[in-house]
Amino acid sequence: MNTFKIGGVHPEPNKLTADRKIETLALPVQAVFPLSQHIGAPAVPCVQKGDTVRVGTRIAEPGGFMSASIHSSVSGKVAKIDSVIDASGVRKPAIFIDVEGDEWEPSIDRSDKLVLQSNKSREEIVECIKNAGIVGMGGACFPTHVKLCPPKECTIDTLIINAVECEPYLTADHRLMLEHSDEIIIGIKIILKVLGIDHAVIGIEANKPDAITLMRSKTSMVSGIEVMPLQMKYPQGGEKQLIEAVTGRQVPPPPALPANVGCVVQNVGTVFAVYEAVMKNKPLIERIVTVTGQDVKNPCNLKVRMGTPVSQLIEYAGGMPENTGKLISGGPMMGRPLLDDTAPVVKGTSGILMIPEADAIRRAERNCIRCAKCVQACPMGLEPYLLATASEASDWECAEENWIMSCIECGCCQSTCPSRRPLLDWVRLAKNRVGGIIRARNAKK
Amino acid sequence: MAQKLYITTSPHVHCGDTIERNMRWVIWALMPALFASFFMFGLGALIVTATSVLSCLFFEWFITRFLLKRPSTLGDLSAVITGILLAFNLPSNIPLYMIVVGALVAIGIGKMAFGGLGNNPFNPALVGRVFLLISFPARMTSWPVPHQLTAYTDAVTGATPMNLIGQIAGGNSAAADQLPGLGDLFLGNIGGCIGEVSALMLLIGFVILLCSKVITWHIPVSILGTVTVLTGIMWLINPVLYVNPLYHLCSGGLMLGAIFMATDYVTSPMTPKGMVWYGIGIGFLTVVIRYFGSYPEGMSFAILIMNAVTPLINNWCKPKRFGEAVK
Ligand code: SF4
Ligand code: SF4
């Protein structure tokens, strides 16, 4: 079975919710939409306080080429445009909508009927995806329409569907495949059409045999779409690792893109959203969120309207366990800690994880014993111990020479270190500084 | 929401590995060889090992407590390992005060002077051993013959395979008749330092270290491989003067050094490529010292020399970067 070659770790999978059907969460009382839910420029509000909106009404427009629209996921009145502390821990502008009823934009097809064909052209499809505000749903939140228009000089030959879900605990993509396989396959065909190619590979880790079997049987009659089971290893869902696992090609160091090796990677969640946008005219207003944790009473997979406060999801899962010490948006390897449970669900919220206090506390760090375990773990072939030391000493030159910009912030190094060194903290710091230095240098040229 | 939440950046989980877990496994892996040495050298082995471990612990405690005034580091168990490894590199009839001196040098100069575990450039146990070898060459190069279970400093000494191999290479073909059989050599039924005699038990230790993921195969295999190749070539050239490579592999602390001393985390390189070069270097130097040096045993010196080269190796041998090949 294929996998990527360098490094990687095997965290406990803890997929507590793999067998839990997706349930629909009730509407919130108030929905909050931060204007930066994606990589790139924040969206610009196009509604005002007091405006009435319906489900699917666009409430913010893209703030640039690299940006995405935002749509209301509820019907009601715009209460205010204010700021909210989002998953990044930073106060950001957001639109608040008080919910009244559940009235949808009439253009949206709300039926469950599968739509197989559309006669939209490539340009129309991209426009449709752009208008629907779709971004990468695996967590990176890269605007999808940008990714579907790779630089002209790159020849794309393979579309890779990321159904790896290598983060422990999360099962949103897994459930989506089991319950919406037909939609996903149509979504893949749509994206293939946009890219003008006829070869797609769905990469699924071997711990989801049911999804592999189902997707295989669904694609057996479809030419050009292949299901590839992959060995379990974190961070296989990382774009570069997945491309290598599937095609054997390695994306060169930044600023090279997957397109440079002929690949475009899309998450299954994104593919599903593309189907809904193109075939059902439905913007990105809902997503699947795994609500989970060792001591959570009723861990579950929920279909949630964007903007719903996290507290409501936790409530549904049986409340936050007494012993919770950390609340995370996303998975345990790359997720972001939340300040409290008032943050809203956004496009990139793949999971809500509650970690017991005993595991939430970092243990005291000790001397590096030079065991080289971090070097063995790093999937990018870096020397985390060295980068961290360089960072501590503010030796940005050494960090740059040792490829710090290649770091994908996967956390393998830190999660392996027997001395519990906060390696990734130091690496992030240095990466930030070196990134700044490189930008300044390029600007001068 | 009543809970107080911690805010720390990712990753939020840890594999659970600790310094202690690794050290504990090293100690377990040393046990088969320790057992074999009790069986071969009896009381002497027991006294020497116990004294060495206790003195190492004492000096580490004393130095952290009174000289550095830091919290105790005894809990990380590294002093225990230094103690066992130092003892393993001593003959079983060595007087107590020499062991204590060796432990002081190992812990005090070999480790604490550099800032404790993680900062020492040389393997502490080897620093202690080499100090003793230079200071007390006579006591350090005469080894009791096995099976004198109740003897300690009064044990009868005899030639070790390493001495004999040296004599053969020196042209004394009569020594060849005294060489023990390979079976005895493999099991450890020979004279030598406490921990080095039983190749079999050391190999069991190697398997334990590999299975518990404490070390990787790179260093031991490249050392043993290099020694096999080099001594094999010499043997093919002149089988009368030079013994079969298997003798080299099973004698004179080669296994002990390759498996337990050269693989010391702190003093060995960080990348697989670096580890292999380091291993080749140690193997090469060992063979050179064995054939041409004035000491019968080259392993300790070879490792110390390569310890000194480790920072350079770390600079030269970078890991295989993702995306490098396609640049
Ligand atoms: S976080 Fe960066 S340095 Fe650490 S293992 Fe991942 S890629 Fe390597
Ligand atoms: S894993 Fe930790 S202790 Fe080991 S080399 Fe890396 S930083 Fe040092």
Side-chain angles (χ1 to χ4, degrees):
Chain A
M1 229 182 285
N2 287 14
T3 186
F4 57 96
K5 292 200 191 67
I6 306 175
V9 293
H10 296 92
E12 280 293 314
N14 281 318
K15 304 275 191 188
L16 311 174
T17 48
D19 298 323
R20 305 295 303 267
K21 280 218 167 64
I22 298 172
E23 298 161 81
T24 307
L25 190 69
L27 291 177
V29 180
Q30 187 182 52
V32 180
F33 303 89
L35 294 171
S36 303
Q37 305 194 9
H38 44 260
I39 289 181
V44 183
C46 53
V47 288
Q48 280 174 350
K49 186 176 165 179
D51 283 3
T52 333
V53 296
R54 286 192 271 216
V55 178
T57 307
R58 187 204 306 262
I59 53 176
E61 284 168 345
F65 171 67
M66 183 74 97
S67 185
S69 332
I70 295 169
H71 300 76
S72 177
S73 64
V74 292
S75 59
K77 263 207 180 68
V78 178
K80 57 180 175 177
I81 298 179
D82 197 356
S83 65
V84 66
I85 296 179
D86 71 355
S88 63
V90 181
R91 198 164 262 289
K92 288 200 183 133
I95 301 172
F96 293 68
I97 296 177
D98 287 332
V99 179
E100 289 162 18
D102 190 25
E103 207 183 310
W104 290 55
E105 287 285 348
S107 56
I108 300 173
D109 172 2
R110 292 184 65 189
S111 71
D112 281 340
K113 217 180 113 254
L114 212 56
V115 185
L116 294 169
Q117 288 295 333
S118 112
N119 39 25
K120 290 195 172 91
S121 71
R122 276 163 71 170
E123 289 69 29
E124 281 166 344
I125 295 174
V126 173
E127 202 50 34
C128 203
I129 291 172
K130 187 175 167 195
N131 287 338
I134 299 178
V135 301
M137 311 240 330
C141 301
F142 195 90
T144 301
H145 63 274
V146 178
K147 224 172 169 184
L148 290 181
C149 304
K152 287 277 167 300
E153 66 276 11
C154 303
T155 334
I156 304 296
D157 55 24
T158 311
L159 168 65
I160 299 174
I161 305 303
N162 189 347
V164 170
E165 209 161 43
C166 60
E167 271 274 8
Y169 287 99
L170 303 187
T171 56
D173 291 349
H174 184 187
R175 290 311 308 182
L176 194 67
M177 278 190 282
L178 292 181
E179 296 176 36
H180 294 283
S181 53
D182 293 316
E183 288 90 335
I184 290 170
I185 287 163
I186 299 170
I188 295 174
K189 287 190 198 154
I190 296 171
I191 298 177
L192 283 176
K193 182 170 174 190
V194 172
L195 294 172
I197 58 174
D198 52 13
H199 183 216
V201 183
I202 310 174
I204 310 179
E205 273 195 352
N207 63 343
K208 299 181 257 296
D210 47 355
I212 294 174
T213 316
L214 180 67
M215 294 311 276
R216 275 217 165 123
S217 71
K218 296 279 181 183
T219 51
S220 59
M221 305 306 289
V222 187
S223 74
I225 305 181
E226 178 192 341
V227 175
M228 185 182 285
L230 301 168
Q231 239 177 68
M232 273 181 72
K233 191 158 68 165
Y234 177 87
Q236 192 133 245
E239 209 167 52
K240 295 181 177 175
Q241 278 66 33
L242 183 61
I243 292 173
E244 193 197 8
V246 169
T247 64
R249 303 172 199 163
Q250 286 192 350
V251 181
L257 299 169
N260 292 58
V261 292
C263 296
V264 168
V265 183
Q266 294 290 353
N267 169 275
V268 262
T270 317
V271 175
F272 181 70
V274 165
Y275 162 81
E276 293 207 307
V278 177
M279 299 305 198
K280 300 280 199 174
N281 215 1
K282 182 176 159 190
L284 185 57
I285 53 163
E286 293 175 321
R287 70 157 297 144
I288 316 294
V289 181
T290 304
V291 188
T292 182
Q294 257 345 312
D295 297 310
V296 173
K297 267 201 216 90
N298 173 32
C300 48
N301 298 298
L302 299 177
K303 184 154 108 179
V304 183
R305 300 276 178 98
M306 302 289 175
T308 308
V310 165
S311 54
Q312 198 179 330
L313 282 68
I314 297 175
E315 197 74 18
Y316 191 91
M320 195 186 292
E322 270 310 298
N323 63 359
T324 302
K326 217 191 246 180
L327 182 62
I328 292 166
S329 160
M333 293 301 285
M334 290 187 80
R336 290 165 170 280
L338 295 177
L339 290 182
D340 58 26
D341 59 5
T342 57
V345 168
V346 291
K347 294 174 181 177
T349 311
S350 47
I352 296 296
L353 172 62
M354 286 158 262
I355 293 190
E357 180 161 3
D359 301 337
I361 305 172
R362 279 193 183 173
R363 294 229 216 132
E365 85 180 83
R366 300 161 66 179
N367 271 2
C368 168
I369 54 167
R370 310 179 62 80
C371 65
K373 295 195 185 211
C374 53
V375 181
Q376 287 156 27
C378 179
M380 297 309 290
L382 310 180
E383 298 144 291
Y385 80 97
L386 180 68
L387 298 176
T389 316
S391 175
E392 269 180 274
S394 306
D395 188 348
W396 315 128
E397 215 165 284
C398 168
E400 189 181 352
E401 271 167 22
N402 286 287
W403 292 57
I404 196 162
M405 295 314 287
S406 284
C407 170
I408 55 168
E409 304 188 20
C410 63
C412 289
C413 49
Q414 189 170 328
S415 77
T416 314
C417 175
S419 292
R420 305 271 176 160
R421 299 189 58 75
L423 294 167
L424 184 48
D425 289 2
W426 287 114
V427 171
R428 269 199 202 99
L429 174 75
K431 203 179 148 190
N432 234 312
R433 295 300 285 269
V434 173
I437 293 169
I438 293 176
R439 273 193 301 277
R441 201 188 301 142
N442 289 347
K444 246 194 240 154
K445 264 183 209 159
Chain B
M1 197 185 85
Q3 294 86 343
K4 245 179 56 199
L5 297 179
Y6 288 86
I7 303 292
T8 52
T9 42
S10 65
H12 307 285
V13 283
H14 192 277
C15 69
D17 199 5
T18 57
I19 299 182
E20 288 75 14
R21 186 199 75 96
N22 288 287
M23 299 292 175
R24 255 194 316 269
W25 275 112
V26 176
I27 295 174
W28 281 120
L30 283 163
M31 286 303 131
L34 191 63
F35 177 79
S37 65
F38 288 159
F39 191 76
M40 297 298 162
F41 302 114
L43 191 63
L46 189 67
I47 296 175
V48 174
T49 313
T51 313
S52 174
V53 171
L54 291 176
S55 343
C56 283
L57 284 170
F58 171 78
F59 288 125
E60 173 134 346
W61 170 79
F62 186 86
I63 292 170
T64 39
R65 176 76 198 270
F66 295 106
L67 300 183
L68 301 175
K69 303 201 166 49
R70 286 192 206 151
S72 163
T73 48
L74 291 188
D76 67 26
L77 299 177
S78 63
V80 176
I81 295 178
T82 305
I84 301 179
L85 287 178
L86 176 65
F88 272 22
N89 280 288
L90 301 175
S92 63
N93 63 347
I94 187 164
L96 284 183
Y97 74 92
M98 290 189 194
I99 308 173
V100 176
V101 170
L104 175 62
V105 173
I107 296 290
I109 298 179
K111 182 162 121 186
M112 288 322 207
F114 293 101
L117 179 67
N119 298 324
N120 48 302
F122 298 105
N123 187 321
L126 283 180
V127 173
R129 184 210 182 180
V130 166
F131 180 83
L132 292 180
L133 192 59
I134 296 168
S135 316
F136 312 105
R139 272 331 279 248
M140 287 292 290
T141 50
S142 68
W143 290 274
V145 289
H147 305 303
Q148 312 176 59
L149 292 186
T150 53
Y152 172 40
T153 42
D154 52 342
V156 180
T157 58
T160 66
M162 233 35 260
N163 300 133
L164 296 170
I165 290 172
Q167 286 174 24
I168 299 169
N172 176 6
S173 52
D177 302 334
Q178 294 179 38
L179 263 187
L182 268 175
D184 279 344
L185 209 54
F186 188 63
L187 294 174
N189 198 5
I190 46 169
C193 287
I194 293 177
E196 72 186 29
V197 291
S198 174
L200 172 67
M201 293 300 176
L202 291 165
L203 283 173
I204 293 177
F206 186 29
V207 173
I208 295 177
L209 289 182
L210 286 181
C211 292
S212 56
K213 299 219 157 80
V214 174
I215 61 167
T216 54
W217 57 267
H218 302 84
I219 295 175
V221 169
S222 51
I223 293 178
L224 300 177
T226 309
V227 170
T228 313
V229 170
L230 292 179
T231 55
I233 293 173
M234 298 297 266
W235 177 57
L236 288 177
I237 294 174
N238 189 342
V240 180
L241 232 41
Y242 302 110
V243 294
N244 177 332
L246 283 175
Y247 276 95
H248 278 282
L249 285 184
C250 297
S251 60
L254 185 75
M255 288 279 177
L256 177 65
I259 296 167
F260 289 100
M261 318 282 284
T263 53
D264 170 44
Y265 282 156
V266 186
T267 55
S268 60
M270 303 294 279
T271 62
K273 198 160 100 193
M275 290 177 189
V276 169
W277 280 114
Y278 169 83
I280 293 176
I282 292 176
F284 176 76
L285 290 173
T286 304
V287 173
V288 169
I289 299 174
R290 279 189 178 184
Y291 282 138
F292 308 111
S294 53
Y295 285 102
E297 167 48 9
M299 196 68 194
S300 306
F301 292 104
I303 295 177
L304 285 177
I305 293 170
M306 291 311 288
N307 283 168
V309 182
T310 293
L312 286 177
I313 298 183
N314 282 337
N315 268 345
W316 289 329
C317 300
K318 291 297 175 184
K320 202 162 190 281
R321 315 284 195 196
F322 188 100
E324 185 171 32
V326 280
K327 222 174 164 181

